[in-house]
Amino acid sequence: MNDVDVDLNLLVALDVLLAEGSVTGAARRLGLSSSAMSRTLARLRAATGDPLLVRAGRGLVPTPRAAELRDRVHELTRDAQAVLRPQITQVDVASLERTFTIRVSEAFLEFLSGPVVAAVMQAAPRICLRFAPKPDKDARPLREGLIDLEIGVLGTSAPEIRTQLLFHDRLVGVARLGHPLLGSTVVTPQRYAACDHIVASKEGDVIEPIDIALEKLGLQRTIRVVVPGYPDAMRIARQSDLIALVPRSCFVNGLTADHAATAGLATFEPPVSTPEFKVSAIWHPRMDADPAHRWLRDMVMSVCRAAYPRR
């Protein structure tokens, strides 16, 4: 038989026939007439090239080929039924053994990977979390299944990508404790622009929305250092007179409030407005109905809401 001629219904019939050892018993179990079951047995014999069940007195006995196939056919039938059965919506996370790959920024890895790992490990100790770097916002790794979940600002126009808001964020200024900018005098656009600045940018771009706002006032920042991520900018600001802009989420009164990276730093409101941005969980729709993936998304959401309560 050609592959296109295979009738998978025959697999179920063969499983029942080999289990019952009787055409009548198999017919009863499948809700068929004895004659219909006899015709099915004839088709099975033609398909396999083996008699399968032969007369022995008043009953039927399996041929060696049928005996060899019995366990295999039963396993295949069980697997096929499992594939076509509606998916279980609940998952036993305590016994779940699975690896999830999560693509995150350096800032998320610095400030929130610890709380996320602690929460996940407490509920699902057999899970493995693999945090992958985020060199760009390309949707291809999500589409190809290389990444299970991404955390960050949505930067792809891929129409099928799913998102779930984790929290709103915005940029604030940071400087070392005792910095001259942080005296009793108000941080004006002029005083702010007169400082030396650090910019966090993976791509090396140094023009940000605050530069456009300052330009409208006839002002321009002096960029002295460009680093790949916000934790790098915070570290340099803590040890120098340079100032930086970093997400407010690095300094919230939540899970990250006492983080070592924030020690020795003070925050201030930028003298010109900076736009708010959304930090989201991002995934491919193929994972929508997966109960384990849904549990992981809910866990990340819970941790982020605890760390960054809405104001």
Side-chain angles (χ1 to χ4, degrees), residues 217-237:
L217 300 175
L219 300 171
Q220 182 178 358
R221 292 189 301 171
T222 300
I223 309 298
R224 296 298 185 189
V225 177
V226 180
V227 293
Y230 294 119
D232 302 310
M234 294 169 67
R235 183 173 59 255
I236 293 174

Side-chain angles (χ1 to χ4, degrees), residues 140-158:
R140 190 179 302 112
L142 289 169
R143 284 173 166 168
E144 296 177 356
L146 302 177
I147 301 297
D148 296 302
L149 186 66
E150 179 173 333
I151 307 296
V153 178
L154 182 65
T156 176
S157 59

Side-chain angles (χ1 to χ4, degrees), residues 164-221:
Q164 184 176 32
L165 176 66
L166 297 178
F167 56 90
H168 290 88
D169 211 347
R170 62 185 177 84
L171 296 177
V172 296
V174 294
R176 65 170 177 81
L177 293 175
H179 193 286
L181 182 67
L182 304 178
S184 57
T185 308
V186 175
V187 178
T188 63
Q190 291 75 16
R191 294 183 66 228
Y192 174 80
C195 293
D196 291 334
H197 294 258
I198 312 162
V199 170
S201 172
K202 286 189 181 68
E203 296 80 14
D205 300 330
V206 296
I207 302 300
E208 297 181 328
I210 197 167
D211 294 296
I212 298 173
L214 289 172
E215 185 178 7
K216 292 178 180 179
L217 300 175
L219 300 171
Q220 182 178 358
R221 292 189 301 171

Side-chain angles (χ1 to χ4, degrees), residues 102-119:
I102 307 176
R103 184 166 67 173
V104 297
S105 66
E106 293 91 338
F108 187 95
L109 197 60
E110 176 78 33
F111 293 101
L112 264 182
S113 61
V116 166
V117 168

